[in-house]
Amino acid sequence: MTLLASRNAYIPRASASNIPIHAGLRSPASRIVPKATYAVQNAPALSEQLMGARKIAVDMFAAIESKGILVPGCTETDIDKQLFDLAAADFGTRKHWHQRLPRVGQNTIHPIYDKVADRALQEDDIVYVDLGPVFGDMEADFGRTYVLGDDAEKHKLNAALEQVFNDCKQHYLSNPSMTGAEFFEFVRKTSSKCGYEYANPNYCAHLVGKFSHDLEFGDDPQHYACPECSTPMNALGPDNQERMWILEIHLLQDPGIGK
């Protein structure tokens, strides 16, 4: 069985300690769930507002863990419904700028737009959750991989994910003026050194901003850390404001493992 582990979060700016970083389908907000009054407070700078959204996303993932949402027997559909309810009832939003994405086991190898058969969590399993909630009008983007049980290969994969993410984040902090293409190549090589393939051939980082950054920036490769990006990562955006990046690490396990 081939598995993938995924993590994404804001890349800190070189000049600060922890700052924030996918166009997707927005899931229909049709469930009747009471909406909490949990919103980002207005702040003068876009970066501060995005940091407020990031903080709420961190709290949301802590709630996912504490409320026992990721338990054996739950299907991806079950998890998605619980994620929607949690976001609305506890964190005040029914808006998600990309599709809510819980992927379990073998389904983890499929990109966000792939249609996959619903899969249930097993006792020894791996699952990643990728969410793009919008708080007020600020986008967040946060992803984590979780391992259930004692499978050594799954735990090894998830440990490597943490290492690669931190190494790549530190490289960005030390080299903020590198181009998106240079950063993509560093992420690819760092993943390979840890024994895994970097699973996204298109980009390793993208922007977030005021909803909707997709409409503001579009598909211009200069706004992605991708092989075609010749723009320095720390270049200002079209509005002369600092661009806020999301680092995404997706590690693909050797297909021969588990066969």
Side-chain angles (χ1 to χ4, degrees):
M1 177 185 293
T2 303
L3 301 170
L4 179 142
S6 178
R7 173 175 176 160
N8 57 286
Y10 296 94
I11 301 179
R13 292 179 299 185
S15 59
S17 61
N18 273 320
I19 298 215
I21 60 172
H22 203 249
L25 301 175
R26 293 184 208 99
S27 300
S30 58
R31 294 172 57 73
I32 306 302
V33 180
K35 184 176 176 181
T37 55
Y38 195 134
V40 180
Q41 298 299 314
N42 289 331
L46 177 63
S47 61
E48 293 179 29
Q49 295 183 65
L50 287 170
M51 278 303 293
R54 176 195 180 277
K55 174 60 169 63
I56 301 174
V58 171
D59 292 345
M60 183 183 296
F61 271 76
I64 290 170
E65 297 168 17
S66 66
K67 291 178 180 292
I69 291 176
L70 305 176
V71 295
C74 278
T75 67
E76 292 165 331
T77 298
D78 295 334
I79 295 169
D80 179 61
K81 291 176 180 178
Q82 292 185 71
L83 294 174
F84 178 90
D85 292 352
L86 176 70
D90 290 11
F91 297 94
T93 187
R94 297 188 182 98
K95 185 186 295 185
H96 301 261
W97 71 267
H98 73 70
Q99 175 183 331
R100 296 181 303 277
L101 192 67
R103 285 279 165 89
V104 172
Q106 188 67 18
N107 283 353
T108 58
I109 68 173
H110 294 283
I112 186 170
Y113 297 115
D114 282 7
K115 299 296 184 183
V116 296
D118 201 16
R119 191 179 181 99
L121 265 171
Q122 305 301 310
E123 294 289 341
D124 284 299
D125 217 336
I126 191 167
V127 53
Y128 77 74
V129 177
D130 184 0
L131 301 179
V134 179
F135 302 110
D137 56 0
M138 291 294 114
E139 298 170 339
D141 194 1
F142 216 80
R144 285 293 183 271
T145 293
Y146 301 94
V147 176
L148 283 66
D150 301 316
D151 186 283
E153 289 297 336
K154 295 184 179 72
H155 281 284
K156 179 182 176 183
L157 174 63
N158 205 27
L161 177 69
E162 187 84 8
Q163 178 183 340
V164 172
F165 184 93
N166 289 332
D167 288 351
C168 293
K169 181 177 75 172
Q170 187 57 49
H171 183 72
Y172 170 83
L173 290 174
S174 301
N175 304 274
S177 62
M178 65 184 163
T179 67
E182 290 170 334
F183 190 41
F184 180 87
E185 184 61 13
F186 180 85
V187 169
R188 190 189 65 78
K189 288 182 177 179
T190 302
S191 302
S192 180
K193 286 179 182 178
C194 285
Y196 297 97
E197 176 185 347
Y198 184 69
N200 186 347
N202 299 314
Y203 60 85
C204 67
H206 65 81
L207 300 176
V208 287
K210 186 175 181 179
F211 184 78
S212 162
H213 82 272
D214 286 338
L215 297 178
E216 181 177 358
F217 297 112
D219 293 328
D220 186 342
Q222 302 310 311
H223 298 310
Y224 291 83
C226 65
E228 298 78 26
C229 180
S230 58
T231 301
M233 298 281 288
N234 63 354
L236 298 179
D239 56 0
N240 287 322
Q241 291 203 56
E242 178 185 19
R243 298 186 301 167
M244 307 301 290
W245 290 97
I246 292 284
L247 171 62
E248 295 198 350
I249 301 298
H250 309 280
L251 298 184
L252 186 64
Q253 189 184 67
D254 185 327
I257 293 176
K259 289 187 176 181

